[in-house]
Each structure stands twice: as C-alpha cells, then as structure tokens.
Amino acid sequence: MSLWRLIPARDFRPMPWRNGGGTTWEITRGRVDGRVQGPSDSDWHWRFSLAEIAADGPFSAFPHKDRLLTVVRGEGIRLTIDGGEPRRLGLGDCIQFEGEAAIGCKLVAGPTRDLNLMVDRRVARLVPGGEERRIAAEEDDTIVLYALEEVVLRVAAERLVVGAGDAIVWNSGEVLGAKAEIERGRAVWARVARLAAP
C-alpha cells in the first residue's frame, strides 16, 4: 500500500532560524519507519522545509544530518563550505552538504527562498531526484516533493494535482519498486532511503 499526503503551503509552519538569520517554514518531518511526525516532536530522522534568506550570514549546524538545498525563488546565493571557494547557486540549482559543515551564505541580489531536506545519515540515505520526471521508490522509502508550479502526478491509475508551492509526502510502505510520474509541471523531489539494520 502506498500512502500519499498533500501538504498545502498554508499549512507550512513558520519558525525562526536557530541563529536568528532567517525564517524557515517547516513542511513536515518524519521517521524512517514511515510515521510522519508533528512539528512538536523533536525526534525526527528527516525534515523537509522552505527557508527565506534575507541577509548574509552563517547557517545553523545540524550534526549527523546530510542536507540538500535547492534555490526556488530569487536571484540566488553564494555558499562557502568549510572555508572553501564560494559556489554560486541560481534559481533551480541544488547542493548537498553535511550538517556539521561551517556554511557561510551571501545573497546575490536580494532575498531568496530555498528548499531544504535534512536526513539523519545514521539511519537513512538522502537521494536527490532533482527535476527528474520519473519517481521510483524502494520498500519503505519516503519521497518528498515540492511543486515549483502546478503539477499533475500519476501513480498507477490515480492522478494527483499539486498546486504551485504545495508539497507531497509519499511513503511507499511495503510496495517494492513503487513508481510515479510527473505528467505536467515542474517539481523538485528527493528520496529518503532507510538503511538496513546492522
């Protein structure tokens, strides 16, 4: 059985950054057992959110987490990771980095909004999907998707319409090789793959 949940933008939960340098709208969070957590529960294995960066400054540290950031609005940012060479990210660009890394951020030209997925690497693996239109999940995977514009998503005989700026969370449950396809529109998605028990 596949479990889909549509999360409209009006339900995203705003919260300030840990370091006070911006605002995050939490879309959802969960555990690798497929149980989606409420925002009051801090015991999460993955978190999906949208952030507004309004000023230059550092990112908060998130130990044990792998992070995927995608610019979804604005002129972009320049990121410095652990003192390395700055990397410019424009609209639609993404970057993956460790949550422990020291991240410096400078705006290119005004505020941006950036999509963020964080995954606890001790229990799961973050697999970027980018703008690939075919979505495939293994058993007990979780798929998170953000619609850059209105999206029509086909799963078997079912079609789901996702409004621009809304999100979808899909837990594949016990369906091995579950698949979906983006028939219309642009979206950014990623897969949270549960690690096998040692």
Side-chain angles (χ1 to χ4, degrees):
M1 179 178 180
S2 296
L3 302 174
W4 289 89
R5 185 161 71 100
L6 174 66
I7 307 173
R10 65 178 178 271
D11 291 344
F12 298 175
R13 179 174 179 260
M15 59 185 67
W17 285 12
R18 288 179 177 180
N19 62 15
T23 301
T24 288
W25 288 266
E26 185 173 271
I27 300 171
T28 189
R29 59 176 71 184
R31 298 177 59 86
V32 294
D33 56 16
R35 183 163 51 93
V36 177
Q37 301 294 297
S40 62
D41 188 345
S42 61
D43 183 24
W44 52 271
H45 293 152
W46 56 266
R47 190 179 85 165
F48 195 38
S49 62
L50 189 67
E52 179 166 295
I53 303 176
D56 298 346
F59 282 8
S60 301
F62 286 88
H64 310 299
K65 305 298 191 294
D66 287 331
R67 301 184 63 175
L68 178 68
L69 179 149
T70 306
V71 178
V72 297
R73 186 184 300 177
E75 295 300 314
I77 55 179
R78 288 187 178 90
L79 287 189
T80 302
I81 302 175
D82 287 333
E85 288 295 316
R87 177 170 172 180
R88 178 170 175 165
L89 301 174
L91 188 64
D93 290 339
C94 65
I95 189 170
Q96 192 168 344
F97 54 92
E98 294 181 346
E100 298 89 346
I103 306 294
C105 177
K106 290 189 176 182
L107 299 171
V108 171
T112 67
R113 286 204 177 179
D114 307 290
L115 193 66
N116 291 276
L117 175 62
M118 289 190 282
V119 175
D120 190 330
R121 75 177 72 92
R122 295 171 297 182
V123 295
R125 183 166 54 95
L126 192 165
V127 184
E131 294 189 47
E132 172 66 35
R133 304 190 72 79
R134 292 190 177 186
I135 301 170
E138 299 299 325
E139 183 178 349
D140 285 332
D141 279 358
T142 297
I143 302 291
V144 292
L145 178 147
Y146 178 83
L148 299 171
E149 57 192 37
E150 185 178 86
V151 164
V152 176
L153 194 65
R154 180 170 57 82
V155 188
E158 185 179 6
R159 279 181 171 79
L160 303 173
V161 178
V162 186
D166 293 345
I168 282 276
V169 178
W170 172 32
N171 180 258
S172 63
E174 298 179 354
V175 181
L176 184 61
K179 296 179 181 179
E181 184 170 356
I182 300 170
E183 289 192 332
R184 190 181 76 231
R186 295 172 58 241
V188 177
W189 64 274
R191 181 164 63 92
V192 179
R194 181 178 183 174
L195 297 180

